[in-house]
Amino acid sequence: MKAPARIAWVYLTFGLGWIFLTDLLVHGVLPPYEAVLQLVKGSLFVICSALLVYFLARRAARRLQEKEEARRREMRQTMAEVHHILRNYLNQMGLVLLEAENTPGFDKEVVALAHRLSDEAAAELNKLRPVE
């Protein structure tokens, strides 16, 4: 049972229980037809208000779910954009490394280290494929 229905059910059970128990107590004081009218009137109130509680809770739950879905869409979009930015950065680093390799006097160990680090970063980024 979903939360809105559970909330309405608990309210309905408690409300009807209260009315039946208190009307049984009152039944000894009032004439029988008035006690029955009290029971019907109170029961109708609890049933109607339980429906109101259910619909309000369901509407609140739907709004919360819509907000959560919007946040998830936003997160997926953000992750896709971050993935794109990091890909562009790695591509640009590749161009810088190519230029560094062709520059006389540039330390070959630094270029090799940069290649290794870029390859490792690209491998890790590939594991994080953007969420569609």
Side-chain angles (χ1 to χ4, degrees):
M1 185 180 291
K2 294 188 177 180
R6 187 172 37 246
I7 292 168
W9 182 250
V10 168
Y11 173 78
L12 178 67
T13 304
F14 176 79
L16 288 176
W18 176 268
I19 287 171
F20 287 129
L21 290 175
T22 57
D23 280 355
L24 285 176
L25 293 173
V26 169
H27 187 65
V29 178
L30 296 176
Y33 67 90
E34 286 184 29
V36 170
L37 287 176
Q38 287 262 13
L39 178 66
V40 169
K41 180 179 74 90
S43 297
L44 285 175
F45 171 78
V46 171
I47 290 169
C48 291
S49 59
L51 288 171
L52 176 65
V53 167
Y54 170 75
F55 288 115
L56 291 174
R58 188 176 73 171
R59 186 174 73 180
R62 282 185 182 164
R63 286 182 178 170
L64 187 61
Q65 184 179 13
E66 288 170 0
K67 287 180 182 179
E68 181 66 26
E69 287 172 8
R71 284 193 355 230
R72 287 179 189 208
R73 279 192 306 272
E74 187 177 301
M75 178 61 83
R76 282 192 295 271
Q77 180 65 32
T78 300
M79 291 305 295
E81 290 171 5
V82 166
H83 194 271
H84 179 73
I85 289 168
L86 290 173
R87 275 272 165 232
N88 283 344
Y89 175 77
L90 287 173
N91 288 337
Q92 290 172 1
M93 284 303 297
L95 292 174
V96 169
L97 287 174
L98 284 175
E99 190 64 32
E101 287 174 341
N102 295 324
T103 301
F106 203 87
D107 189 348
K108 300 294 182 190
E109 288 181 31
V110 171
V111 172
L113 176 63
H115 273 297
R116 186 174 57 82
L117 294 174
S118 290
D119 291 344
E120 288 174 9
E124 290 298 318
L125 188 59
N126 285 336
K127 291 179 190 177
L128 299 173
R129 281 179 256 168
V131 181
E132 298 296 323

